[in-house]
Amino acid sequence: MPQVVRSRIAVLHGAHPATPLPRSFRSLADRAAVEVLHRAARVLVASLPVLTDRLVEALYEQEPGYRAAIDSDRAEVWQEVHHSLRHNVGSLIQPREFRDAAHRTSRWIGEIRAGQGVPLDAVLHAFRMGGAMVWQDLVDETARRDPDDVRLLVHVAADVWNFVDEHCGIVADAYRQAERRLSWRRENQQRLMVAALLDGTARIADLCEAAAMLGLPEQGRYAVLAVASAPGGPQQDPARPPLNLAAALSPGEGLSTAPGAAPLWHAGPDAAFAILRLTGGPGDPGDPGELHAIADALDAPAGTRAGIGSAVDGLAALGDARRLAETALRACPASGGTVLLDEHLPDALVVSSPALGSALADRVLGPLDRLDPSDRDVILETLTAWLDADGSAQRAGARLYCHRNTVLNRLRRFEQLTGRCLTRPRDAVEVSLALAARRLLGG
C-alpha cells in the first residue's frame, strides 16, 4: 500500500531525508505548519481502520490489477494496506522513528506483489491513490477544525508528494529485483525440467507439473532436433543454437508445427537440443509430412550438423525422442547437413552399433583395401553411384561421366575381389550397409 508522506518536517526534528531537495525547492514549513499537520495526522491514526476500508474499496473499484488479489484474500490485502498506512501516517508525527520501517514496508510490498504477478503499474497506482487519500483527509480534517489553518498545509504539500515519489521508486526497485529473481528461478526450474525430460529421468508424477510449467500438453506429439558442429569445423556454442535454425523453428515461419509452439532449447555437452511440438496427439498421428517440412525449412549454416528424430507420443517419451535425435545426428555427413531419421534408418542401424558396423565394413569391403588407394576409391565410388541409381548402370555412368559398360566392368571386379554377388538380395543389403559404415564411421 502507498507510503503516503515523507515530510520535510523531518528536518525540523533533526532527521536527514534520504534524498535532500535542492535549496530552491526546500519546504517553507514552520512550527505552526508542523503543529497543524500533527493534529490532523493524530486523527488519521485514530481512524486507520476506516481509512483502510476506504482505500481497499477504492482499489477494488479503480485498479483492476488489484481485484484478483482482493477477491482471493481481502483480509490479506486489508492487513497490507493497514500496515503501510500505519507507518505512513506515523511518519507525519515521528519521521525519524518511522522512516526505516516505512522503507522496509515499501520494499516488502514490491516483493510480495511481484511474486503474486500484480502489474507494477497497478502497485504504483495504488501508492499514489493512497497518498492522495491521506492528503485529502489531512486537508479535510484541518478544514473541519479551523479552515484558516488549511493554508499552512501548503508549505508541506510538495514534501508529501516528494515522499510518495520516493516510495514509488523504492517499491519499483524492489519489484524489479524480485521479478529478476523470480524470472531466474523460473528459468532455472524450466531448464532442469527440460533436462530431466530429455534425459528420461523425469518422474511420471511430475509430468503434469512439467506440462503446466512449459506450456506443453502432457499427451502431445513431439520430436527432438539435435544440432552440433561438424568435426574439425568451427565450433558452435551448444547453449546458442545457430540463429537461422532458431528462426526456422519459430512460430509463423510456414511450418506445420502446432500453432504458437516455439521450440524449447536445451544445451547439452556436445549438442543443442530442441523439443518440437507437433500437430496431432493420442489417436491422431497428425501430418505425416510434418517432420519433412521441418527438415526442409532448416537452413543449417555451413559446418553445422542437424538430426531430427522420429515422432513420439507424450512428454514421458521425450527421453526416447532425444536418443533418436542423437542417432540421426550421428548419421549426418561429417561435412554437415540435416538428417531426418525416418529417411535414414539403415544409416541409423549402422551408427547405433559402431563396433558391429565397423566389423561389417571390414568383412565386406576389407579385400578392397589391398588395392592401390586410387583404384579402391574408384570401385567404391562406382558401387555407391550404382546403388544410388537403383541398380541402373546407365544412370550411374551418367553420374560418373563414363560408359555403362565401364560401370559394369567395375562392378564385376568388385564381385571378384569380395566374393559378393550384387544380384543376390542378401549380399546387396550387406554391401549397402558396409558402404554406409565406411562413410559414417570412417576406416
Side-chain angles (χ1 to χ4, degrees), residues 207-399:
L207 292 181
C208 183
E209 178 185 352
M213 179 188 301
L214 303 176
L216 298 173
E218 184 177 347
Q219 300 302 325
R221 185 167 169 266
Y222 299 98
V224 170
L225 163 72
V227 181
S229 302
Q235 296 300 301
Q236 300 284 348
D237 182 357
R240 297 175 61 86
L243 292 181
N244 45 354
L245 282 177
L249 293 171
S250 297
E253 295 298 326
L255 303 182
S256 57
T257 48
L264 293 174
W265 287 93
H266 173 73
D270 302 313
F273 299 91
I275 297 175
L276 308 178
R277 179 184 169 189
L278 308 177
T279 58
D284 177 8
D287 180 3
E290 190 169 11
L291 291 177
H292 295 81
I294 293 174
D296 292 341
L298 290 178
D299 181 19
T304 298
R305 299 157 57 236
I308 303 175
S310 303
V312 299
D313 291 327
L315 292 178
L318 281 178
D320 294 333
R322 172 179 175 164
R323 287 185 284 274
L324 292 172
E326 289 175 325
T327 300
L329 187 64
R330 290 196 297 272
C332 278
S335 59
T338 300
V339 165
L340 180 59
L341 184 65
D342 290 348
E343 293 183 344
H344 295 79
L345 292 177
D347 290 353
L349 287 173
V350 170
V351 298
S352 294
S353 182
L356 291 177
S358 296
L360 178 63
D362 292 341
R363 179 182 176 87
V364 175
L365 305 177
L368 300 181
D369 293 335
R370 294 191 289 268
L371 301 175
D372 181 86
S374 60
D375 193 14
R376 176 198 63 202
D377 292 344
V378 167
I379 293 178
L380 291 176
E381 182 183 24
T382 302
L383 186 59
T384 300
W386 179 76
L387 289 171
D388 289 344
D390 297 326
S392 169
Q394 185 75 34
R395 292 200 300 273
R399 184 176 300 180

Side-chain angles (χ1 to χ4, degrees), residues 38-52:
H38 281 187
R39 283 196 300 270
R42 290 190 186 98
V43 175
L44 264 62
V45 169
S47 61
L48 274 183
V50 175
L51 177 59
T52 303

Side-chain angles (χ1 to χ4, degrees), residues 5 44 68 163 190 196 221 274 443:
V5 183
L44 264 62
F163 178 89
Q190 289 179 344
R221 185 167 169 266

Side-chain angles (χ1 to χ4, degrees), residues 101-161:
H103 283 193
R104 286 194 300 271
T105 300
S106 292
R107 286 191 292 269
W108 172 74
I109 291 172
E111 293 171 356
I112 290 294
R113 291 305 172 204
Q116 294 173 340
V118 177
L120 177 57
D121 286 347
V123 181
L124 296 179
H125 183 209
F127 266 65
R128 295 188 177 100
M129 285 176 62
M133 186 173 289
V134 168
W135 175 251
Q136 187 61 51
D137 281 8
L138 290 172
V139 173
D140 290 347
E141 175 58 25
T142 301
R144 186 185 67 81
R145 295 176 64 92
D146 188 344
D148 290 340
D149 287 343
V150 172
R151 60 183 176 80
L152 295 174
L153 291 180
V154 173
H155 296 297
V156 295
D159 293 311
V160 169
W161 295 106

